[in-house]
Amino acid sequence: MDHYIVKGGNSLSGEVEIAGAKNAALGILAASVMTNETVTIENIPDVSDIRAILKAIQMIGAHVEKVDRHCYRINGSMISRGSAVDNDYVRKIRGSYYLIGALLGKHRCASVALPGGCNIGLRPIDQHIKGFRALGADVSLVSPGMVVAEAEVLRGSHIYMDVVSVGATINIMMASVMAVGQTIIENAAKEPHVVDVANFLNSMGANIKGAGTDTIRIRGVERLHGTNYSIIPDQIEAGTFMFAAAATRGDVTIRNVIPKHLESLSAKLKEIGCQIHESDDELRVVATRRLGATNVKTLPYPGFPTDMQPQIAVLLGLSRGVSIVTESIFENRFKYVDELIKMGAHVTVEGNTAIIDGVEKYTGARLSSPDLRAGAALVTAALAAEGFSEVHEIHYIERGYEDFPEKLRRLGAEIEIIETEEEKRKFMFRVG
Ligand code: UD1
């Protein structure tokens, strides 16, 4: 199987361009079939989760035309009401649950296979279902793993979310844009991609106000129309490069970002001794020495994102002193710690807390990615480590990072995708 081989020890330096946000694109591509007119979407990241949702909507009847690597034209007029959405692509990715909200909102009827995605905990969808029911839909879970949601009429409702959920907020927004009357979502998620999906829907004629705050108000409109839209930059890809720069004591300018979306990350990096230089759509991270320790707890936006938890743990594993990382969003998100320990890290996990006693250096090892973000974090550890590492199960990383090894190589990293022992020997011979 393909895996990465990495020779660690080089400080990353130079410039890297960030792709469009995967999680925003998943919502936007699902929402794109809600109109019968054509929509053109730009800045779509070329990653396997996105290729899967594009295939999924194509297989249920959408016309999907590739304009270029990052731009697609989509027309959902041929999707027939009532057809079941179940194919290998739908079951592969968690984001396919957005097709429930999109098709329920458009046809008042959706039958969609339950989502897959990263194995980082139980990840229920009870809040999505609660929202659909509040709008007047009958929702049932039928075998084999299908969610069926139907309504004669969808009526706006006042919905209070029991937990802050990105997925449920976006799904309820989509289900309610063409409902009769006003929907209010309280305790809504405020993540940048919630705002991006709302902006996209508004550009199609929806009337959504307050996205990015705790309370979102949606006034139902009769229909949605075509649009041209460009997706925001990926906050987590940007953050991963910021932390990779810091872990390798590098100097990296991260381009095509919205610095405001990265504030919780910049603040932590500054706190432990990094220099951060911000401009309109760029951010430069400079780390010239060993960084300090800190405590961090993952929280919904604008708090520290759970999707950056493995990356900060890798960095704190090399910092001076003891740090505590608390995961408050997902259980089961410390599976990468065993891999990090193989590299010489001193980490103890107690429940949802990791206690990290920083070491001077990691040593290269054979590593396996347990999920998307942890996989990227282990690559960061390998880049900072002394000697050679292999990172396996890279299909997880490819779900969310476009051209990851290529971008790292341009920053001076020694990393390659290989399959055979022969390729490994060649790499080791070349890099010495
Ligand atoms: C999205 C992101 C994921 C990110 C996460 C949190 C996508 C495709 N994925 O996942 O990368 O890690 O936000 O920022 O955008 N919960 C419930 N009931 C529900 C829904 C969620 O109890 O119906 C809980 C979850 O178990 C979790 C918390 O709410 O503990 C937050 O989950 P949520 O924000 O929904 O995450 P996702 O949308 O699945």
Side-chain angles (χ1 to χ4, degrees):
M1 286 290 270
D2 279 356
H3 55 276
Y4 294 150
I5 182 146
V6 180
K7 185 183 179 212
N10 293 3
S11 295
L12 297 186
S13 85
E15 296 186 349
V16 61
E17 188 88 20
I18 297 306
K22 171 191 79 99
N23 287 345
L26 287 168
I28 287 172
L29 288 170
S32 72
V33 303
M34 294 184 73
T35 170
N36 286 337
E37 297 179 14
T38 299
V39 299
T40 304
I41 306 168
E42 293 171 42
N43 207 29
I44 298 178
D46 185 12
V47 296
S48 67
D49 266 16
I50 296 302
R51 290 191 289 273
I53 195 149
L54 284 167
K55 280 274 181 209
I57 59 173
Q58 204 168 15
M59 288 185 79
I60 61 168
H63 180 74
V64 175
E65 182 196 342
K66 184 174 183 173
V67 179
D68 62 41
R69 187 179 183 198
H70 299 119
C71 178
Y72 285 81
R73 243 178 241 129
I74 293 164
N75 185 295
S77 60
M78 299 303 283
I79 296 175
S80 49
R81 185 176 191 275
S83 57
V85 181
D86 186 9
N87 52 57
D88 288 350
Y89 299 104
V90 169
R91 286 186 185 262
K92 236 185 217 169
I93 52 167
R94 180 148 181 92
S96 51
Y97 57 28
Y98 290 136
L99 289 169
I100 312 173
L103 295 178
L104 179 65
K106 182 179 188 185
H107 294 309
R108 295 179 309 288
C109 165
S111 171
V112 179
L114 278 177
C118 269
N119 178 18
I120 52 173
L122 286 173
R123 307 186 80 171
I125 58 164
D126 57 299
Q127 297 302 305
H128 305 230
I129 293 173
K130 169 178 155 167
F132 300 148
R133 286 191 175 136
L135 296 170
D138 281 329
V139 186
S140 47
L141 299 177
V142 296
S143 60
M146 297 286 289
V147 181
V148 178
E150 298 177 272
E152 286 276 317
V153 185
L154 290 169
R155 286 190 196 284
S157 177
H158 198 142
I159 302 162
Y160 192 91
M161 313 286 291
D162 300 321
V163 293
V164 178
S165 160
V166 172
T169 303
I170 292 177
N171 236 340
I172 297 167
M173 248 170 22
M174 294 198 289
S176 60
V177 281
M178 287 185 275
V180 178
Q182 182 175 233
T183 298
I184 300 175
I185 309 174
E186 306 264 17
N187 200 23
K190 296 179 279 203
E191 267 68 2
H193 45 294
V194 173
V195 180
D196 209 33
V197 177
N199 288 343
F200 172 69
L201 287 164
N202 282 342
S203 79
M204 291 203 293
N207 182 348
I208 303 173
K209 296 210 167 86
T213 74
D214 296 310
T215 306
I216 302 180
R217 289 188 163 74
I218 303 141
R219 234 176 228 297
V221 295
E222 276 203 0
R223 55 183 285 281
L224 298 177
H225 54 69
T227 185
N228 285 352
Y229 194 81
S230 182
I231 292 173
I232 53 165
D234 197 299
Q235 173 204 6
I236 305 300
E237 189 199 6
T240 302
F241 280 101
M242 288 166 73
F243 281 57
T248 59
R249 298 190 202 172
D251 179 347
V252 176
T253 299
I254 296 145
R255 300 183 49 204
N256 183 33
V257 297
I258 300 175
K260 173 96 190 128
H261 294 169
L262 302 168
E263 272 175 355
S264 65
L265 310 178
S266 302
K268 274 291 158 202
L269 287 176
K270 280 185 199 157
E271 187 186 320
I272 61 176
C274 269
Q275 294 165 39
I276 307 279
H277 308 275
E278 276 180 26
S279 58
D280 283 355
D281 61 352
E282 284 185 3
L283 197 145
R284 180 172 161 215
V285 177
V286 186
T288 48
R289 57 190 166 86
R290 191 172 177 204
L291 300 170
T294 187
N295 299 336
V296 61
K297 181 176 181 179
T298 62
L299 287 169
Y301 188 85
F304 192 92
T306 173
D307 284 356
M308 285 299 299
Q309 181 260 100
Q311 294 90 318
I312 197 167
V314 163
L315 180 59
L316 295 174
L318 291 167
S319 295
R320 193 186 300 277
V322 176
S323 301
I324 297 177
V325 175
T326 305
E327 173 57 57
S328 77
I329 310 289
F330 292 113
E331 71 279 21
N332 210 10
R333 213 169 184 178
F334 283 124
K335 283 189 291 176
Y336 64 89
V337 164
D338 288 342
E339 304 299 289
L340 218 48
I341 289 171
K342 285 188 201 164
M343 306 181 86
H346 290 171
V347 187
T348 324
V349 176
E350 287 172 15
N352 66 344
T353 300
I355 300 140
I356 304 172
D357 190 0
V359 293
E360 286 248 356
K361 62 177 175 57
Y362 294 143
T363 314
R366 187 184 193 283
L367 307 164
S368 179
S369 310
D371 60 64
L372 162 61
R373 304 304 173 185
L378 290 174
V379 172
T380 307
L383 294 171
E386 202 165 75
F388 290 92
S389 295
E390 287 178 26
V391 182
H392 291 257
E393 305 293 339
I394 59 172
H395 57 96
Y396 283 117
I397 300 171
E398 290 167 346
R399 289 185 39 204
Y401 291 88
E402 181 179 302
D403 297 341
F404 197 41
E406 290 81 1
K407 287 184 181 181
L408 289 168
R409 268 203 299 276
R410 270 180 243 133
L411 295 173
E414 297 288 4
I415 176 169
E416 237 167 63
I417 302 184
I418 60 161
E419 199 177 353
T420 61
E421 280 298 309
E422 177 58 23
E423 287 171 335
K424 178 175 168 180
R425 269 194 298 279
K426 275 192 187 152
F427 175 84
M428 292 174 111
F429 181 73
R430 185 174 63 73
V431 299

